[in-house]
Amino acid sequence: MKNQKHTATEWIAEDRLIDCSLTISAVSGVRICEVKSFNHKDFNDPTETEADANAALITAAPDLLHSAFFALCALEDIKEQSDMQKLALISIKESIKKATTIKKAAQ
């Protein structure tokens, strides 16, 4: 991928801390983020299943972005695209934009 701005090595979820949070780090040692999920009714009740699912998605993000770029290139090479291929192309472009652009919450 050209113009890659994210940490380029594999991302992993490290051991769970006492408060059920997980540290997401690159295998190079760069710390990416902390993942902590809570029961929506009680912020003192961490939900490990949700934290694990979020951590799995975050650690897969670099691979998913890389795959999206490959799929984009493959679809763009098709001269006469079906309607489904055109929709897939739009979806992939939107996903890549979302993955490479910071969207801040409205204040």
Side-chain angles (χ1 to χ4, degrees):
M1 283 184 310
K2 59 183 178 181
N3 301 325
Q4 178 174 299
K5 296 179 182 176
H6 66 275
T7 305
T9 62
E10 180 184 2
W11 294 5
I12 56 170
E14 296 183 15
D15 291 337
R16 185 177 304 286
L17 302 174
I18 295 170
D19 63 357
C20 294
S21 65
L22 294 162
T23 300
I24 306 298
S25 299
V27 293
S28 63
V30 174
R31 192 175 185 161
I32 306 296
C33 67
E34 295 288 325
V35 177
K36 184 185 283 190
S37 294
F38 295 94
N39 178 317
H40 300 289
K41 296 176 184 169
D42 180 3
F43 282 104
N44 294 317
D45 180 20
T47 306
E48 289 184 27
T49 303
E50 188 174 356
D52 288 347
N54 291 339
L57 185 58
I58 292 167
T59 57
D63 294 331
L64 293 169
L65 181 59
H66 193 72
S67 296
F69 276 115
F70 273 118
L72 178 66
C73 291
L75 283 171
E76 287 180 333
D77 283 348
I78 298 172
K79 301 293 183 222
E80 293 186 31
Q81 297 171 342
S82 68
D83 289 342
M84 183 62 76
Q85 290 166 327
K86 289 175 185 176
L87 289 172
L89 193 57
I90 291 168
S91 178
I92 290 168
K93 286 179 179 179
E94 288 173 356
S95 295
I96 291 171
K97 182 178 180 183
K98 187 175 184 178
T100 57
T101 306
I102 296 173
K103 182 179 180 182
K104 297 183 180 180
Q107 295 186 13

